[in-house]
Amino acid sequence: MLHETIILSEERKVTLTTYLIEDQAEYQHGAKRPIVVICPGGGYAFLSERESEPVALQYVAAGFHAAILRYGINEYAVAPGPLNDIAGAVAYLRDHSDVWHIDNDAVIVMGFSAGAHVAGQLGVFWNNGRLLPHYAEDLTRIKPNGMILCYPVLDLRATDTHMEIGAKPGDRPEDIPFGQKHPKMPLDKIFIMDEKEGRYFADFESAMNAYIFDGEYTSEQEDFYSLQNQVSEDTCPAFLWHCDGDGLILPSNSLDFASAMKKYHRPVELHLYAGGGHGISLANERTTCDIWNYYPYAESWMKHSIDWVEQLTGFSERITRELKH
């Protein structure tokens, strides 16, 4: 396996970690493989390791290449920065496709939660030269062939606005330990007083969106980066899954995006699991850090996504056909 971390932007702290199956004379010699480019979640404030290597290795085991994109977060999360990060990753992989045996027609972008917002942006905006000026001369170079969106942030108006953060009566907003305090977002827009309970809750929607817009934002900005509004006849095929019990990033994110895909007659597959919550990664004990991340009922999403990549790219069918000849 060719496993290395490539610095795509030192200034923005963007890296691409590869998990590439090296060409072997003993099996599938010369085969060009699909690649899945994974964007971990973390609300644009951090990047989840639970949604990184354990996921990449599942796709490698299925015979695909994989790569983890650690895109710009915190002060580097401002749109369209992360969109350009993932475009750069796709362009880099295509530029090295011959030496790394990557199928240029099978470049799949993938993301979890906020990482799905990054991947989804490329899926809908790949042909927008205004947002992607560096690639304007040949936008097909960065066009993904498909996207896998896992409990995705897609609608910026469909996130928990009353998040339990363990605040007690008498706690002051400036003293509440909360990892999504953007320095340019007023605390009274992040922390909402529940008069009935006499304590603060977090408006996670405002807190996360502040990273996308570098502080306070307008309705027009929110609407533009709500990706269900940007689906068109040019949007790439999508595989989505969500848990119906997700109270942080609401299931309507996936449902409304899938509806928009159907409206424009774009290929889409959606799995909505009863119960469950947010941030469950593989949903099994391999990526569990507490009981809230463990929901084996939804574990089948990984197999379904592998089957979807197979169907989309025809990889195994092509290998079998070549063996017969």
Side-chain angles (χ1 to χ4, degrees):
M1 182 186 297
L2 181 59
H3 175 50
E4 62 177 318
T5 296
I6 300 152
I7 298 173
L8 295 183
S9 172
E10 190 167 354
E11 177 187 359
R12 289 179 48 77
K13 302 179 182 178
V14 177
T15 64
L16 186 69
T17 301
T18 64
Y19 298 78
L20 305 173
I21 300 173
E22 296 185 74
D23 191 39
Q24 299 288 341
E26 292 186 57
Y27 61 90
Q28 299 165 12
H29 180 51
K32 291 203 168 186
R33 302 173 184 273
I35 186 165
V36 181
V37 184
I38 301 161
C39 300
Y44 283 110
F46 76 101
L47 296 173
S48 171
E49 292 303 322
R50 296 174 48 255
E51 297 165 348
S52 300
E53 186 170 82
V55 178
L57 294 178
Q58 300 298 308
Y59 289 115
V60 172
F64 311 149
H65 297 308
I68 298 167
L69 175 67
R70 292 180 170 88
Y71 52 91
I73 56 173
N74 293 312
E75 66 267 37
Y76 305 112
V78 183
L83 168 61
N84 280 268
D85 294 340
I86 192 169
V90 169
Y92 189 92
L93 291 168
R94 282 207 169 107
D95 290 347
H96 293 78
S97 61
D98 286 341
V99 66
W100 286 342
H101 296 274
I102 296 170
D103 182 350
N104 269 331
D105 295 321
V107 179
I108 312 299
V109 294
M110 175 188 193
F112 294 83
S113 193
H117 191 250
V118 177
Q121 283 183 65
L122 192 62
V124 301
F125 288 137
W126 66 267
N127 57 353
N128 189 320
R130 180 178 63 83
L131 294 177
L132 296 157
H134 185 70
Y135 308 98
E137 291 188 4
D138 182 14
L139 289 167
T140 60
R141 181 175 168 226
I142 59 170
K143 179 183 180 181
N145 300 103
M147 52 184 168
I148 299 170
L149 307 177
C150 312
Y151 38 87
V153 173
L154 299 170
D155 182 354
L156 299 186
R157 299 178 188 271
T159 303
D160 188 6
T161 58
H162 195 261
M163 180 183 180
E164 169 64 70
I165 49 175
K168 299 177 177 60
D171 285 350
R172 300 184 306 167
E174 55 268 30
D175 297 329
I176 296 173
F178 183 60
Q180 298 276 151
K181 289 183 182 179
H182 190 281
K184 295 183 183 178
M185 179 60 84
L187 290 179
D188 64 359
K189 295 194 174 180
I190 296 177
F191 299 112
I192 308 300
M193 171 59 72
D194 185 314
E195 298 297 342
K196 183 178 179 180
E197 296 201 20
R199 61 192 183 101
Y200 285 101
F201 288 76
D203 182 340
F204 192 78
E205 182 177 297
S206 295
M208 180 181 64
N209 292 355
Y211 286 87
I212 301 172
F213 303 113
D214 198 28
E216 296 185 81
Y217 51 91
T218 66
S219 292
E220 290 75 17
Q221 288 175 303
E222 196 172 33
D223 287 342
F224 184 78
Y225 280 99
S226 289
L227 302 186
Q228 78 279 1
N229 298 329
Q230 302 299 340
V231 172
S232 71
E233 62 275 4
D234 295 321
T235 299
C236 71
F239 174 99
L240 303 98
W241 71 275
H242 223 115
C243 283
D244 186 53
D246 191 337
L248 184 63
I249 305 301
L250 306 183
S252 60
N253 280 271
S254 291
L255 293 168
D256 291 348
F257 190 86
S259 293
M261 292 286 284
K262 293 299 293 181
K263 176 182 177 181
Y264 284 94
H265 308 289
R266 302 304 299 141
V268 62
E269 182 169 329
L270 168 65
H271 296 262
L272 183 65
Y273 293 93
H278 189 73
I280 64 176
S281 187
L282 295 178
N284 57 32
E285 70 284 350
R286 299 180 193 92
T287 54
T288 296
C289 60
D290 57 46
I291 192 62
W292 306 110
N293 306 134
Y294 183 68
Y295 194 61
Y297 182 72
E299 187 177 1
S300 62
W301 79 264
M302 174 53 75
K303 181 183 184 305
H304 290 312
S305 75
I306 290 169
D307 291 344
W308 180 81
V309 173
E310 286 279 10
Q311 184 180 46
L312 183 70
T313 65
F315 174 62
S316 291
E317 182 180 335
R318 173 162 47 86
I319 295 299
T320 303
R321 187 169 58 248
E322 289 173 359
L323 285 173
K324 291 179 179 178
H325 290 84

